[in-house]
Coordinates of all heavy atoms in Angstrom, one line a residue:
L14 N 2.9 1.9 6.4 CA 3.7 2.5 5.3 C 2.8 3.4 4.4 O 3.2 4.5 4.0 CB 4.5 1.5 4.5 CG 5.4 2.0 3.4 CD1 6.5 2.8 4.0 CD2 5.9 0.8 2.6
G15 N 1.7 2.8 4.0 CA 0.7 3.6 3.1 C 0.2 4.8 3.8 O 0.2 5.9 3.2
A16 N -0.1 4.7 5.1 CA -0.6 5.9 5.8 C 0.5 7.0 5.9 O 0.2 8.2 5.8 CB -1.1 5.5 7.2
I17 N 1.7 6.6 6.2 CA 2.8 7.5 6.3 C 3.1 8.2 4.9 O 3.3 9.4 4.9 CB 4.1 6.8 6.8 CG1 3.9 6.4 8.3 CG2 5.3 7.6 6.6 CD1 5.0 5.5 8.8
L18 N 3.1 7.4 3.9 CA 3.4 8.0 2.5 C 2.3 9.0 2.1 O 2.6 10.0 1.5 CB 3.6 6.9 1.5 CG 4.9 6.1 1.6 CD1 4.8 4.9 0.6 CD2 6.1 7.0 1.4
I19 N 1.0 8.6 2.4 CA -0.1 9.5 2.0 C 0.0 10.8 2.9 O -0.3 11.9 2.4 CB -1.4 8.8 2.1 CG1 -1.5 7.8 1.0 CG2 -2.6 9.8 2.0 CD1 -2.7 6.9 1.0
A20 N 0.4 10.6 4.2 CA 0.5 11.8 5.0 C 1.6 12.7 4.6 O 1.5 14.0 4.6 CB 0.8 11.4 6.5
I21 N 2.7 12.2 4.1 CA 3.8 13.0 3.5 C 3.3 13.7 2.3 O 3.7 14.8 2.0 CB 5.0 12.1 3.2 CG1 5.6 11.6 4.5 CG2 6.1 12.8 2.4 CD1 6.7 10.6 4.3
E22 N 2.4 13.1 1.5 CA 1.9 13.7 0.3 C 1.2 15.0 0.6 O 1.2 15.9 -0.2 CB 1.0 12.7 -0.5 CG 0.4 13.3 -1.7 CD 1.4 13.7 -2.8 OE1 2.4 13.0 -2.9 OE2 1.2 14.7 -3.4
F23 N 0.5 15.1 1.8 CA -0.2 16.3 2.1 C 0.8 17.5 2.2 O 0.4 18.6 2.0 CB -0.9 16.2 3.5 CG -2.2 15.4 3.3 CD1 -2.4 14.2 4.1 CD2 -3.2 15.7 2.5 CE1 -3.5 13.5 4.0 CE2 -4.3 15.0 2.4 CZ -4.5 13.9 3.1
F24 N 2.0 17.2 2.6 CA 3.0 18.3 2.8 C 3.8 18.5 1.5 O 4.2 19.6 1.2 CB 4.0 18.0 3.9 CG 3.4 17.9 5.2 CD1 3.2 16.6 5.9 CD2 2.9 19.0 5.9 CE1 2.6 16.5 7.1 CE2 2.3 18.9 7.1 CZ 2.1 17.7 7.7
D25 N 3.9 17.5 0.6 CA 4.7 17.6 -0.6 C 3.8 18.2 -1.7 O 4.1 19.1 -2.4 CB 5.3 16.3 -1.0 CG 6.1 16.3 -2.2 OD1 6.7 17.3 -2.5 OD2 6.1 15.3 -2.9
G26 N 2.7 17.5 -2.0 CA 1.7 18.0 -3.0 C 2.1 17.7 -4.5 O 1.6 18.3 -5.4
S27 N 3.1 16.9 -4.7 CA 3.6 16.7 -6.1 C 2.8 15.7 -6.9 O 2.8 15.7 -8.1 CB 5.0 16.3 -6.1 OG 5.2 15.0 -5.5
L28 N 2.1 14.8 -6.2 CA 1.3 13.7 -6.8 C 2.1 12.7 -7.7 O 1.6 12.0 -8.5 CB 0.2 14.2 -7.7 CG -0.9 15.0 -7.0 CD1 -1.9 15.6 -8.0 CD2 -1.7 14.1 -6.0
I29 N 3.5 12.7 -7.5 CA 4.3 11.9 -8.4 C 4.8 10.7 -7.6 O 4.7 9.6 -8.2 CB 5.5 12.7 -8.8 CG1 5.1 13.8 -9.8 CG2 6.5 11.8 -9.5 CD1 6.2 14.8 -10.2
F30 N 5.2 10.8 -6.4 CA 5.8 9.6 -5.7 C 5.0 9.2 -4.5 O 4.6 8.0 -4.4 CB 7.2 9.9 -5.3 CG 7.9 8.8 -4.6 CD1 8.3 7.7 -5.3 CD2 8.0 8.8 -3.2 CE1 8.9 6.6 -4.7 CE2 8.6 7.7 -2.6 CZ 9.1 6.6 -3.4
F31 N 4.7 10.0 -3.6 CA 4.2 9.6 -2.3 C 2.7 9.1 -2.4 O 2.4 8.1 -1.8 CB 4.3 10.7 -1.3 CG 5.7 11.1 -0.9 CD1 6.2 12.3 -1.3 CD2 6.5 10.2 -0.3 CE1 7.5 12.6 -1.0 CE2 7.8 10.5 0.0 CZ 8.4 11.7 -0.4
L32 N 1.9 9.8 -3.1 CA 0.5 9.3 -3.2 C 0.3 8.0 -4.0 O -0.4 7.1 -3.5 CB -0.4 10.4 -3.8 CG -1.9 10.1 -3.9 CD1 -2.5 9.9 -2.5 CD2 -2.6 11.2 -4.7
P33 N 1.0 7.9 -5.1 CA 0.8 6.6 -5.8 C 1.4 5.4 -5.0 O 0.8 4.3 -5.0 CB 1.6 6.8 -7.1 CG 1.6 8.2 -7.3 CD 1.6 8.8 -6.0
F34 N 2.6 5.6 -4.4 CA 3.1 4.5 -3.7 C 2.5 4.2 -2.3 O 2.5 3.1 -1.8 CB 4.7 4.6 -3.6 CG 5.3 4.3 -4.9 CD1 5.7 5.3 -5.8 CD2 5.6 3.0 -5.2 CE1 6.3 5.0 -7.0 CE2 6.2 2.7 -6.4 CZ 6.5 3.6 -7.3
G35 N 1.9 5.3 -1.8 CA 1.1 5.1 -0.6 C -0.2 4.3 -0.9 O -0.6 3.4 -0.1
S36 N -0.8 4.6 -2.0 CA -2.0 3.9 -2.4 C -1.6 2.4 -2.8 O -2.4 1.5 -2.5 CB -2.6 4.6 -3.6 OG -2.9 5.9 -3.3
A37 N -0.5 2.3 -3.4 CA 0.0 0.9 -3.7 C 0.3 0.1 -2.5 O 0.0 -1.1 -2.4 CB 1.2 1.0 -4.6
A38 N 0.8 0.7 -1.4 CA 1.0 0.0 -0.2 C -0.3 -0.3 0.5 O -0.4 -1.4 1.1 CB 1.8 0.9 0.8
L39 N -1.3 0.5 0.3 CA -2.6 0.1 0.9 C -3.3 -1.0 0.1 O -3.9 -1.9 0.7 CB -3.6 1.4 0.9 CG -3.2 2.5 1.8 CD1 -4.1 3.7 1.7 CD2 -3.1 2.0 3.3
I40 N -3.0 -1.1 -1.2 CA -3.5 -2.2 -2.0 C -2.8 -3.5 -1.6 O -3.4 -4.5 -1.4 CB -3.3 -1.9 -3.5 CG1 -4.2 -0.8 -4.0 CG2 -3.5 -3.2 -4.4 CD1 -4.0 -0.3 -5.4
N41 N -1.5 -3.4 -1.4 CA -0.7 -4.6 -0.9 C -1.3 -5.0 0.5 O -1.4 -6.2 0.7 CB 0.8 -4.2 -0.7 CG 1.6 -4.6 -1.9 OD1 1.0 -5.1 -2.9 ND2 2.8 -4.3 -1.9
S42 N -1.6 -4.1 1.3 CA -2.1 -4.4 2.6 C -3.5 -5.1 2.5 O -3.7 -6.1 3.2 CB -2.3 -3.1 3.5 OG -2.9 -3.4 4.7
S43 N -4.3 -4.6 1.6 CA -5.6 -5.3 1.5 C -5.5 -6.7 0.9 O -6.2 -7.6 1.2 CB -6.6 -4.4 0.7 OG -6.1 -4.2 -0.6
I44 N -4.6 -6.9 -0.1 CA -4.4 -8.2 -0.7 C -3.8 -9.1 0.4 O -4.3 -10.3 0.5 CB -3.4 -8.1 -1.9 CG1 -4.1 -7.4 -3.1 CG2 -2.9 -9.5 -2.3 CD1 -3.1 -7.1 -4.2
L45 N -2.8 -8.7 1.2 CA -2.3 -9.6 2.2 C -3.3 -9.9 3.3 O -3.4 -11.0 3.8 CB -1.0 -8.9 2.8 CG 0.2 -9.0 1.9 CD1 1.3 -8.1 2.5 CD2 0.7 -10.4 1.7
F46 N -4.2 -8.9 3.6 CA -5.2 -9.2 4.6 C -6.2 -10.2 4.1 O -6.6 -11.2 4.8 CB -5.9 -7.9 4.9 CG -7.0 -8.1 6.0 CD1 -6.7 -8.2 7.3 CD2 -8.4 -8.1 5.6 CE1 -7.7 -8.4 8.2 CE2 -9.4 -8.2 6.5 CZ -9.1 -8.4 7.8
A47 N -6.6 -10.1 2.8 CA -7.5 -11.1 2.2 C -6.9 -12.4 2.1 O -7.5 -13.5 2.3 CB -8.0 -10.6 0.9
Q48 N -5.6 -12.4 1.9 CA -4.9 -13.7 1.7 C -4.8 -14.4 3.1 O -4.9 -15.6 3.2 CB -3.5 -13.4 1.3 CG -2.9 -14.4 0.3 CD -1.6 -13.8 -0.3 OE1 -1.6 -13.2 -1.3 NE2 -0.5 -14.1 0.4
N49 N -4.6 -13.6 4.2 CA -4.5 -14.2 5.5 C -5.8 -14.7 6.0 O -5.9 -15.7 6.8 CB -3.9 -13.2 6.5 CG -2.5 -12.9 6.3 OD1 -1.8 -13.7 5.6 ND2 -2.0 -11.8 6.9
K50 N -6.9 -14.1 5.5 CA -8.2 -14.6 5.9 C -8.8 -15.7 5.0 O -9.9 -16.1 5.1 CB -9.2 -13.4 5.9 CG -9.0 -12.3 6.9 CD -9.2 -12.8 8.3 CE -8.9 -11.7 9.3 NZ -9.1 -12.1 10.7
V51 N -7.9 -16.1 4.0 CA -8.2 -17.1 3.1 C -9.4 -16.8 2.2 O -10.2 -17.6 1.8 CB -8.4 -18.5 3.8 CG1 -8.4 -19.6 2.7 CG2 -7.3 -18.7 4.8
W52 N -9.6 -15.5 1.9 CA -10.6 -15.1 1.0 C -10.1 -15.3 -0.5 O -10.9 -15.5 -1.4 CB -11.0 -13.6 1.2 CG -11.7 -13.4 2.5 CD1 -12.3 -14.3 3.3 CD2 -11.8 -12.2 3.2 NE1 -12.8 -13.7 4.4 CE2 -12.5 -12.4 4.4 CE3 -11.3 -10.9 3.0 CZ2 -12.7 -11.4 5.3 CZ3 -11.6 -9.9 3.9 CH2 -12.3 -10.2 5.1
I53 N -8.8 -15.1 -0.7 CA -8.2 -15.3 -2.0 C -7.0 -16.2 -1.9 O -6.5 -16.4 -0.8 CB -7.8 -13.9 -2.7 CG1 -6.8 -13.2 -1.8 CG2 -9.0 -13.1 -3.0 CD1 -6.3 -11.9 -2.5
G54 N -6.5 -16.7 -3.0 CA -5.4 -17.6 -3.0 C -4.1 -16.8 -2.7 O -4.1 -15.6 -2.5
G55 N -3.0 -17.5 -2.8 CA -1.7 -16.9 -2.5 C -1.1 -16.1 -3.6 O -0.3 -16.6 -4.4
I56 N -1.6 -14.9 -3.8 CA -1.1 -14.0 -4.9 C 0.3 -13.5 -4.5 O 1.2 -13.6 -5.3 CB -2.1 -12.8 -5.1 CG1 -3.4 -13.3 -5.6 CG2 -1.5 -11.8 -6.1 CD1 -4.5 -12.3 -5.6
L57 N 0.4 -13.0 -3.3 CA 1.7 -12.5 -2.8 C 2.3 -13.5 -1.9 O 2.2 -13.5 -0.7 CB 1.5 -11.2 -2.1 CG 0.9 -10.1 -3.0 CD1 0.7 -8.8 -2.1 CD2 1.7 -9.7 -4.2
S58 N 3.0 -14.5 -2.4 CA 3.5 -15.6 -1.6 C 4.9 -15.4 -1.0 O 5.3 -16.0 -0.1 CB 3.6 -16.9 -2.5 OG 4.4 -16.7 -3.6
G59 N 5.7 -14.4 -1.5 CA 7.0 -14.1 -1.0 C 7.2 -12.6 -0.9 O 6.4 -11.8 -1.4
W60 N 8.3 -12.3 -0.1 CA 8.5 -10.9 0.0 C 8.9 -10.2 -1.3 O 8.6 -9.0 -1.4 CB 9.5 -10.6 1.2 CG 10.9 -11.2 0.9 CD1 11.3 -12.4 1.3 CD2 12.0 -10.5 0.2 NE1 12.6 -12.6 0.9 CE2 13.1 -11.4 0.2 CE3 12.1 -9.3 -0.4 CZ2 14.3 -11.1 -0.3 CZ3 13.3 -9.0 -0.9 CH2 14.4 -9.9 -0.9
G61 N 9.5 -10.9 -2.2 CA 9.8 -10.3 -3.5 C 8.6 -10.0 -4.3 O 8.5 -9.0 -5.0

């Protein structure tokens, strides 16, 4: 999702929606990856 949103930003160029939320999706991905590898505790424990 982050890669798709950042790729859409290349065509849009507004810096308002796609780049920030694509970056936020990449941050979520890294947090969940670290959580699955038990490097950090359960920060994101539910889909909400």
Side-chain angles (χ1 to χ4, degrees):
L14 181 66
I17 289 171
L18 288 174
I19 290 174
I21 290 172
E22 179 62 39
F23 285 122
F24 297 108
D25 182 32
S27 65
L28 296 175
I29 294 174
F30 181 75
F31 296 113
L32 183 64
F34 283 96
S36 302
L39 293 178
I40 291 171
N41 267 359
S42 175
S43 62
I44 291 172
L45 287 170
F46 180 76
Q48 218 171 267
N49 288 345
K50 296 292 182 182
V51 193
W52 294 337
I53 59 174
I56 296 172
L57 302 176
S58 58
W60 62 268

